[in-house]
Amino acid sequence: MDINHILQLPFTREGGWQQLRRERPSLNALILRVVLPLSLLPPVMLHYAIHHHGNALLPGLSERPWALIAPTLFSAELITFLIMGWLIHGVAGAHRLRLGLRDAYFLAAMVPLPLWLSSLTLFVPDLWFIVSGVLLALMLSCGLVYHGLQALAEREEDDIMVMSATYTVIAFGLMAWGVLLALVWAL
């Protein structure tokens, strides 16, 4: 798959999604090649940012128990992936979308990609840059949910059931993301 197809995923149900669906790896390969390595990225980047410019971002940030927070965040990300795959499958079924469990977990692995990659903004010690990167990642993730559901459930453009399912998945995803952030902050 070329980079143009990958960059189009949040914006269209054509091209890249169809190719990904044909070439989609098994669930085990997806977890080992995508979910595990990329869900390691936020805890590693948090560790880097805290030790290199933690107090420049927020006062008192480097005094937090990051040795406990990072592995907890990693574990919570993996649990969230498992729950979101199950949730996407259930929401799709409730909206009469034909989406198999394998496709639901495939989508659950694809949707957080921008969020995982947004942790790379932690290389820059500027809070506004980091927040902007995360907000952009959230928008891209929303596009991945919508167009991924369209493509994987083989629905047409502007399908009201896909829109409704997307809103539900995004709402649950934002709640899960909020819980992850609260977990990091509470420890």
Side-chain angles (χ1 to χ4, degrees), residues 41-55:
L41 197 54
V44 168
M45 288 306 301
L46 274 172
H47 186 269
Y48 168 83
I50 297 310
H51 286 43
H52 284 83
H53 45 264
N55 286 331

Side-chain angles (χ1 to χ4, degrees), residues 6-7 12 25-26 33 35 50 57 67 77 89 92 104 106 117 131 147 150 153:
I6 293 170
L7 294 175
T12 181
S26 69
R33 293 182 191 156
V35 175
I50 297 310
L57 292 173
E77 286 178 285
H89 184 257
F106 179 70
L117 293 173
V131 169
H147 293 295
Q150 272 184 334

